[in-house]
Amino acid sequence: MIKNKKIIAIVLARAGSKSVKNKNVHKIKGIPLIGYTGRIIKKIKFIDYSVVSTDSYKIGEISKKFGLNFFFKRPKNLSGDRVPDIAPLRHALIQAERQKKMKFDIILSLPPTSPLREKKDVVDCVRKIVNKKFDSVWTISKIDTKYHPEKQLKINKNKLFYYHKNGPKVVARQQLKDLYYRNGAAYAMTRNCLMNKKKLITDNSSFVITKSVQVSIDSYSDITKVSKLI
């Protein structure tokens, strides 16, 4: 709890990953992927409660070994690979509030696919949303100018085109404005933002720029990279 704000961490960990089989419990250095998230949550004392939202009993039982609460199974209609995070987050919050017979003020979404997250970045997200009264705060990373949208290309009917209308004008990186991407380390939001506004980002959202390298695992090559970094 911070300034009387009750905080819940929700870990969305469905089964059925297409890129990496059993991704959320895939072991890296002997620890299941979801275990890294559980370890971080244990280190942050102001988190009042944590819960895993999964459609797999196997994932749920493994999660419990790392301190996450597992007492409900996510329904199938909220477990597809095209279901936006907001739906299972809302479902998990409702289940947790019924279980605990209380309401939470701040919701932390900590994807298990980001095992390199650091405690400081999660803490900074929560402190910023509480102290500055934002609707939500995301961790983000700066985009390398090599991958800037205005420098990208697209293919259409076997022909090459600039992706962005400014593409032909870009001759030096100094012409490009800094852009950022969400790195998946942490998403913090108020209960009102999630349940009433039904959004994860609004016109009153802010950010924490992470200094450390972050990898959101989507492939076996990502796992190899993370293994070396850990």
Side-chain angles (χ1 to χ4, degrees):
M1 184 182 294
I2 295 180
K3 293 186 177 180
N4 295 319
K5 302 292 185 183
K6 296 183 180 67
I7 299 162
I8 181 173
I10 298 176
V11 182
L12 300 181
R14 70 178 183 86
S17 170
K18 294 179 180 178
S19 54
V20 178
K21 188 176 181 180
N22 299 319
K23 178 170 65 176
N24 288 316
V25 291
H26 185 96
K27 288 186 178 181
I28 298 179
K29 302 291 186 181
I31 300 171
L33 198 53
I34 200 165
Y36 287 95
T37 301
R39 285 182 163 191
I40 283 287
I41 291 172
K42 280 185 178 179
K43 292 178 181 179
I44 304 174
K45 302 305 179 184
F46 60 62
I47 294 178
D48 299 286
Y49 193 64
S50 62
V51 64
V52 62
S53 168
T54 181
D55 55 341
S56 163
Y57 284 114
K58 178 182 178 180
I59 292 176
E61 291 302 315
I62 291 174
S63 299
K64 288 163 65 174
K65 295 178 181 179
F66 292 90
L68 300 174
N69 290 286
F70 172 60
F71 58 89
F72 68 89
K73 191 177 178 184
R74 196 198 303 183
K76 286 186 177 181
N77 66 309
L78 297 181
S79 300
D81 56 3
R82 296 192 178 185
V83 175
D85 285 355
I86 192 165
L89 281 173
R90 284 166 56 86
H91 175 264
L93 179 61
I94 291 170
Q95 299 303 313
E97 290 183 339
R98 285 176 180 169
Q99 176 80 358
K100 297 293 290 181
K101 295 181 173 58
M102 60 184 287
K103 288 189 177 182
F104 294 95
D105 303 292
I106 304 296
I107 296 88
L108 260 176
S109 176
L110 302 175
T113 47
S114 296
L116 298 179
R117 70 167 56 85
E118 296 187 354
K119 173 184 173 182
K120 180 182 183 301
D121 296 324
V122 180
V123 169
D124 287 349
C125 274
V126 176
R127 293 196 183 282
K128 191 168 189 178
I129 198 172
V130 171
N131 294 331
K132 302 297 183 179
K133 298 182 179 179
F134 289 109
D135 287 336
S136 64
V137 177
W138 294 11
T139 54
I140 60 174
S141 297
K142 186 177 177 180
I143 291 178
D144 187 317
T145 53
K146 291 193 295 290
Y147 308 111
H148 196 286
E150 291 182 26
K151 293 184 70 175
Q152 303 313 307
L153 305 166
K154 63 181 179 180
I155 297 172
N156 186 15
K157 295 181 180 179
N158 207 34
K159 292 183 179 180
L160 191 65
F161 300 90
Y162 285 108
Y163 172 76
H164 195 278
K165 64 180 181 179
N166 292 338
K169 304 174 186 176
V170 177
V171 294
R173 59 184 176 82
Q174 289 79 7
Q175 295 174 263
L176 303 170
K177 293 182 180 179
D178 288 342
L179 288 180
Y180 303 84
Y181 65 93
R182 52 181 176 180
N183 56 37
Y187 304 87
M189 65 214 75
T190 64
R191 189 181 192 282
N192 181 56
C193 181
L194 180 64
M195 301 305 290
N196 297 327
K197 294 186 178 182
K198 300 180 181 180
K199 294 181 178 179
L200 300 183
I201 189 169
T202 71
D203 56 5
N204 184 39
S205 293
S206 192
F207 58 88
V208 167
I209 301 175
T210 60
K211 295 181 180 179
S212 60
V213 175
Q214 294 297 319
V215 178
S216 181
I217 292 178
D218 290 318
S219 65
Y220 284 103
S221 61
D222 289 335
I223 290 175
T224 300
K225 184 177 182 180
V226 167
S227 297
K228 293 178 180 178
L229 290 170
I230 288 177

